[in-house]
Amino acid sequence: MVIRENYLRKIRPFYDSELVKVITGIRRCGKSTLMGQIVDEIRGLGVPEDHILVINFELYKYRKLMNPDAFNDYVEEKLADDQKYYLFFDEIQNVKDFELVVNSFRAGHNVSIFLTGSTSKLLSGELSSHLGGRTISFRIMPFTFHEIEELVREMGMTFDRMKLFEEYIRWGGFPLVWSVAAGEDREVVLSNLYDSIVLKDIVLRNRINSPVILEKILSYIIANSSTAFSGNRVAGVLTSQALKISPPIVNAYIRAIEDACVVNRAERYDIRGSRVLSYEAKLYVSDLGFFHLKKNRVKDEYNFIVETLVYNELLARGYHVYVGKTQKGEIDFIAERNQKKCYIQAAYLMADEKTRAREFGAYADIRDNYPKYVISLDPITRDENGIQHLNLLDFLEDETLITG
């Protein structure tokens, strides 16, 4: 089992906190396994077994607890004394009015509560209002390339670094996909996983009236990962394909896709004006396996893959990521974490001096002293004017290479 230390070290300081720990991410990205690792660590601290309660609401045996009253009564019976209890509720969004019950546990008992869910809405709406800021969220992504390397080592296999990387950008990082052999078996698992997410987490949860239109929108967004989007643009593309749909409907479907954590939004940040430009956002598919299922483009494909890969890696490391807007162009990413910031340009290869001039020249209008990086697959890197040039695989394997 790959120990997801990247996330555990962020969550550990809150093991005993009264804050409700909310773990979100796309279906089958490893949230339940991570929760199990947290449970194991808490057991290791000497907490009695009868003071740890784990409920996975995807299991049939807990189906009756999806009723909020039954859920409340079941847990209340377990809270027998004033000592600390640790409550773990997996896929909590399956419980009607769960936010009322969870808040009651928090307010009435000495508990530390952990929630997981396959929707970004867990921290919005009713949960946010009932808990009144008493939550902390952690976004979980599918396996990073470094975690895939750990997985392969655990399986006792040797590997060629570049060949494994090529597999990774082909199949993505879903643990379930890597549990079967490469080839048609992985294709079947990945396709079934995609269909399950679309049906359960988008169509059924949001009561989508036109699954066909949704699939067209989703396929377009995934195939065009890392490009700027708008409801008007997507509506125009679909209209050209004889599928007439209004921009507001497109935007509503995109929100549903984002809520299922299939894609992530990077808002554009005006560096000079110090303001977020939400209307010029980019969308990035959360797993490159889906990109290869739905891609329909060839030109500059690997540049888009590298940009998406770097973006997802930054999210997995806990950064807030924006697309930077300068006076004359844009910076691929502004990454912020722990009150530190850095700038990143992501490219496939520095094929010629023109490409190199474009990537390093993107920083020409930025006058501050935050660290600046160019990341590419070039095996030999050359820094320029204080801008660090990093090899992509080195960056993926070593979190310390960027200091922002």
Side-chain angles (χ1 to χ4, degrees):
M1 179 189 296
V2 175
I3 302 300
R4 308 202 74 178
E5 181 61 28
N6 186 39
Y7 301 111
L8 289 170
R9 70 169 176 261
K10 300 171 192 170
I11 302 173
R12 281 191 194 107
F14 301 96
Y15 279 2
D16 289 317
S17 172
E18 68 166 346
L19 295 173
V20 177
K21 281 65 70 177
V22 182
I23 301 170
T24 63
I26 190 170
R27 182 179 294 271
R28 299 291 177 261
C29 70
K31 298 185 301 297
S32 298
T33 299
L34 177 64
M35 182 174 277
Q37 292 172 3
I38 296 171
V39 171
D40 288 343
E41 289 197 353
I42 287 176
R43 286 193 183 111
L45 296 173
V47 176
E49 194 64 35
D50 61 355
H51 282 63
I52 300 173
L53 177 62
V54 181
I55 301 176
N56 183 346
F57 287 102
E58 287 203 316
L59 297 181
Y60 184 76
K61 67 179 181 178
Y62 293 121
R63 69 193 184 281
K64 294 180 180 178
L65 299 188
M66 293 182 189
N67 174 283
D69 293 331
F71 174 36
N72 179 76
D73 293 345
Y74 178 85
V75 175
E76 286 287 349
E77 289 179 0
K78 307 289 184 181
L79 307 179
D81 55 48
D82 292 332
Q83 296 182 32
K84 191 88 170 184
Y85 283 80
Y86 297 82
L87 310 181
F88 297 85
F89 305 133
D90 203 0
E91 297 298 342
I92 189 67
Q93 77 279 349
N94 291 324
V95 180
K96 183 177 183 293
D97 294 330
F98 73 87
E99 61 279 349
L100 298 174
V101 186
V102 168
N103 188 49
S104 177
F105 298 151
R106 184 202 60 77
H109 299 279
N110 181 14
V111 293
S112 179
I113 301 175
F114 300 78
L115 311 177
T116 79
S118 303
T119 169
S120 62
K121 285 183 176 178
L122 274 185
L123 276 179
S124 63
E126 292 298 315
L127 180 61
S128 177
S129 62
H130 282 288
L131 294 178
R134 297 182 181 90
T135 62
I136 185 167
S137 66
F138 303 91
R139 180 64 180 274
I140 309 303
M141 301 290 286
F143 278 161
T144 64
F145 177 62
H146 182 59
E147 288 175 321
I148 290 297
E149 289 182 314
E150 289 186 30
L151 176 66
V152 174
R153 289 191 187 100
E154 282 191 2
M155 296 166 65
M157 300 170 60
T158 59
F159 59 88
D160 178 272
R161 185 188 188 210
M162 181 53 82
K163 288 183 178 178
L164 184 64
F165 175 73
E166 290 170 355
E167 278 195 74
Y168 179 67
I169 63 174
R170 169 66 183 86
W171 298 113
F174 283 108
L176 189 61
V177 173
W178 285 83
S179 69
V180 298
E184 292 184 4
D185 289 344
R186 284 187 184 167
E187 189 84 29
V188 170
V189 171
L190 187 60
S191 295
N192 287 340
L193 180 57
Y194 174 85
D195 291 341
S196 173
I197 291 170
V198 170
L199 178 62
K200 291 184 178 180
D201 292 337
I202 304 178
V203 174
L204 296 180
R205 185 174 293 159
N206 296 278
R207 299 178 182 177
I208 298 296
N209 293 324
S210 178
V212 173
I213 295 292
L214 171 75
E215 174 61 26
K216 290 289 185 181
I217 294 172
L218 182 53
S219 294
Y220 176 84
I221 291 173
I222 290 175
N224 291 278
S225 177
S226 80
T227 58
F229 82 99
S230 71
N232 287 330
R233 178 179 300 174
V234 179
V237 171
L238 294 181
T239 299
S240 70
Q241 299 175 1
L243 292 168
K244 189 174 182 180
I245 185 170
S246 68
I249 295 297
V250 170
N251 286 326
Y253 280 13
I254 289 175
R255 283 194 296 272
I257 293 166
E258 287 185 76
D259 288 339
C261 304
V262 177
V263 298
N264 299 296
R265 177 188 298 254
E267 295 182 323
R268 196 174 297 268
Y269 187 87
D270 184 344
I271 297 173
R272 189 176 182 182
S274 299
R275 64 184 185 276
V276 174
L277 308 174
S278 301
Y279 56 88
E280 294 186 12
K282 286 186 176 183
L283 292 180
Y284 293 87
V285 63
S286 62
D287 187 83
L288 283 173
F290 287 166
F291 172 82
H292 282 283
L293 280 182
K294 300 298 175 181
K295 71 178 183 182
N296 58 11
R297 69 188 183 202
V298 177
K299 184 179 179 182
D300 293 331
E301 175 179 304
Y302 280 95
N303 282 318
F304 291 118
I305 288 173
V306 170
E307 187 175 332
T308 299
L309 183 57
V310 171
Y311 175 81
N312 287 343
E313 180 71 25
L314 292 169
L315 281 194
R317 294 179 183 182
Y319 284 93
H320 296 286
V321 187
Y322 303 91
V323 177
K325 178 179 175 59
T326 63
Q327 187 174 4
K328 298 179 181 179
E330 73 173 35
I331 304 298
D332 286 339
F333 303 119
I334 302 173
E336 297 180 342
R337 185 180 68 176
N338 299 330
Q339 298 182 325
K340 295 182 179 180
K341 180 166 72 174
C342 66
Y343 300 106
I344 295 173
Q345 284 289 100
Y348 174 44
L349 290 170
M350 301 294 181
D352 49 40
E353 285 303 316
K354 181 179 178 181
T355 303
R356 183 176 178 85
R358 182 186 68 232
E359 298 300 331
F360 282 87
Y363 294 117
D365 291 336
I366 300 179
R367 306 302 180 190
D368 61 44
N369 294 317
Y370 292 114
K372 302 173 181 67
Y373 303 93
V374 173
I375 299 174
S376 74
L377 259 176
D378 294 277
I380 299 176
T381 60
R382 287 188 294 145
D383 298 347
E384 184 175 306
N385 297 326
I387 301 166
Q388 289 185 256
H389 185 190
L390 303 178
N391 172 264
L392 175 61
L393 270 62
D394 291 342
F395 161 76
L396 295 175
E397 292 173 336
D398 188 352
E399 186 172 345
T400 67
L401 289 182
I402 63 172
T403 59

